[in-house]
Amino acid sequence: MRPGRLTAMLSYGSYVDGQDRPGTQWVYTVRASAMLRDFFGSVRTKRALESGQLAPEDAPEYVIGRSAVADPHEVEAALQSASRAADEWSAAPLATRLRLVEVFHELVREKHDEIVDLMIAEGHPSALARWEASGILANTAPETREFLASQMAHRVDTVQRELTVRRVADGVVCLNPPQNATIANVLLGIWALAAGNALVVRAPKSAPLGVMHILRELIAPALEAVGAPAAALSVLCSDAPATMRAWLESPLVDDVMYFGGSRQGIEFGAQCVAAGKKPVLELAGNDICVVWHDADLDLAAEALTEAFYGSGQICMVPNVAVVHPDVADELLAKVTARAAAIRPGYPEEPGTLLSPVLRTDLFKAVLDQALEGGAELVCGGRRLAVSGEVDEVGGLFLEPTVVRVDGLKQARDLEAVRHETFFPLLPVVVPAPEETEGLLETVIDFVNTNEYGLRNSLWTGDRAVVDRYVARVRGGGLLKVNDSHIGFLPVLPTHGGTGLTGGPGGEGNYPVLRTSHLQGVSVAYGVRPTEAVFADLDKKEASV
């Protein structure tokens, strides 16, 4: 912190080797509500601060913080210090590393309101900020910690040996969080640390403050509390292409956790493999929610409207609904009524669920392609001002939009069905009359042939349908039945998936498992080596 106005402004340098390194170049963060009220004025202020034309102590109150921009030397220094720390930290007992997660969980509870307020300041609607905070708590809950502890080591004692199957830290893990939900996703790094790795985080220059603040105020103190080396954590705000290239080229890096679009992510994963790094990919989702004829339609409609939360700019919302034709009209009416109540607003306002959308031209192209391909517009489709009024010229928000698509067979000809759109756009696919014979199997095949696989969900009152769905659906890191599609639960993975969501080898992501590797250990007492080598062979011969 600096004197004057900066006593109320967060200010973070690069964090390397346990030390704060002030920068000569800074990125300033402006409160999102100020950007909505006066976009051009806020941008002018931000640019004046970053160019040195406006002194930090003269910044208006809506400038909430600044982050130093790291240079290539600091990027390299972070890797060097992480490599040294990884050797020490990986040898710490598992109990100590799991205690780290427990301390972190307690700090999240203690600082819950602070975390939520910072998310809101960065533009997350208040309801979604609370949802994200609940995900952090579920991801580190006691039940989750207990389950993952059981996965990290298993020991069997025989008369002459201690046999252990354990997971060992990969080494240095680099984490590149997404720009749309930096805080919630970067905190997955606590589990990479719990595996015994050192963690290097790149805070995106477009939204660095939350990452810098939360890691410094939550993870760094937790590491200190359990006696871990401070250098086990490094946090930098740096240029993305140069930093990712440095990570790929460095012999010190073992794993890279990458968030982004599927096409770019799959390509980056291939580059990681070629460079001898393990890629842990969190890419696009295109989740399918199936609603059967005997579902509770009020609850199913409530779950489907989660598609519009954050204007659909959340990977784990339902992206496509497949609805039994017997209840399609009734369900669409219920979803339409709920969609009409979802409005834009400033992120601090309790009822706000929509976020600004910058690519409104692309939204229109996707919607037009769907309508030209035979989809029917049920509701929405227009641009809105922050007040909720229609503004087709300058509106930064989009109405929650529902289109009806008749027939499964041709549904994936539509971009809105085949790929994640990242818009408040929900295609509702209704099987055609000729598709009703053996419909459950047809719908399950439709789910299984989805190129993505983050989350899939089902609404039904028939246990036989539930059992068949769960037994047959192979895609997805998570399946939900008669439950919130986006809700977080202890023990179950919060991230990860199959297909274009997780790339080759993708699955439900527990970072403590994905950033470690299996190792078998035998500690013997009084065993003759020759007897050990031929023990099984002798037993087989004796039985013959």
Side-chain angles (χ1 to χ4, degrees), residues 22 58-59 81 128 154 161 182 185 258 277 289 420 455 464 470:
D58 295 327
S81 65
L128 294 186
H154 181 74
R161 292 183 180 86
T182 54
N185 288 291
Y258 176 92
K277 322 294 182 190
C289 180
E420 178 188 63
R455 296 182 174 201
V470 172

Side-chain angles (χ1 to χ4, degrees), residues 258 260-269 283-284 452 500:
Y258 176 92
S262 291
R263 183 181 61 80
Q264 302 94 326
I266 297 295
E267 290 175 359
F268 181 76
L283 309 178
Y452 300 81
L500 294 180

